[in-house]
Amino acid sequence: MTVHFSPSTGAFYDDVLWSAPLPDDVVEVAAEERAALLYAASQGKIIQAGPDGTPVAVDAPAPPTESLAALARRRRDIEVAALRWMVERHRDEIEMGRPTTLSADRYVALLDHLQTLRDVPAQAGFPNTIDWPVLWAGLTDEDETQTPGEDQND
């Protein structure tokens, strides 16, 4: 079995499987080398032709800044949307004169967290370096239902 690589197509050609004419620029590659290159590709590397036309595995280029920014904004929007129900529930409970599930302190912490998420694009280094805010674990503990006007510290 002989394996070839074509710099112009970026493809491997196995003579056992490929019966059509090969591109004019093919170079022979050992089966073990092809296996190593395919493994590197499975780990995120890109296979391309080196200076002599033989295949080499290289790091993938970084995504464009615009793509990183769009992905970050999408994550931010998803995280905000996932918490909006807590704000709505709290406001509804107050409007109905019912005890609130969140204490006033926890509600303010939730609003602060949402605002920090909204401010992610304003961070220095955005979108390449992002310090994602982490939701305080105790925020969603619903063991303390508050009556409107009741202070948790009383």
Side-chain angles (χ1 to χ4, degrees), residues 4-148:
H4 294 90
F5 174 78
S6 168
S8 63
T9 65
F12 290 101
Y13 298 90
D14 184 327
D15 66 353
V16 173
L17 303 172
W18 190 263
S19 60
L22 295 172
D24 293 334
D25 62 348
V26 295
V27 293
E28 192 169 326
V29 178
E32 298 80 20
E33 179 65 16
R34 179 179 70 164
L37 289 163
L38 293 176
Y39 176 76
S42 75
Q43 301 301 304
K45 300 279 188 177
I46 293 177
I47 301 172
Q48 64 183 34
D52 61 354
T54 59
V56 294
V58 298
D59 290 328
T65 301
E66 301 81 29
S67 296
L68 291 175
L71 288 171
R73 285 188 174 95
R74 182 165 185 235
R75 174 181 169 177
R76 184 257 338 253
D77 293 347
I78 289 169
E79 289 191 28
V80 167
L83 296 171
R84 289 295 308 160
W85 70 270
M86 293 177 72
V87 172
E88 293 172 12
R89 179 189 63 191
H90 188 83
R91 290 178 181 168
D92 290 349
E93 289 169 342
I94 289 173
E95 287 181 26
M96 293 185 294
R98 294 185 177 170
T100 58
T101 306
L102 295 174
S103 68
D105 290 342
R106 286 181 178 176
Y107 180 65
V108 169
L110 173 62
L111 295 178
D112 284 341
H113 179 75
L114 289 169
Q115 189 58 49
T116 303
L117 284 169
R118 290 184 191 104
D119 292 342
V120 161
Q123 290 181 11
F126 178 86
N128 298 308
T129 304
I130 300 172
D131 183 19
W132 286 102
V134 177
L135 185 63
W136 171 50
L139 182 64
T140 57
D141 293 344
E142 297 185 14
D143 57 357
E144 297 183 26
T145 301
Q146 301 292 306
T147 304

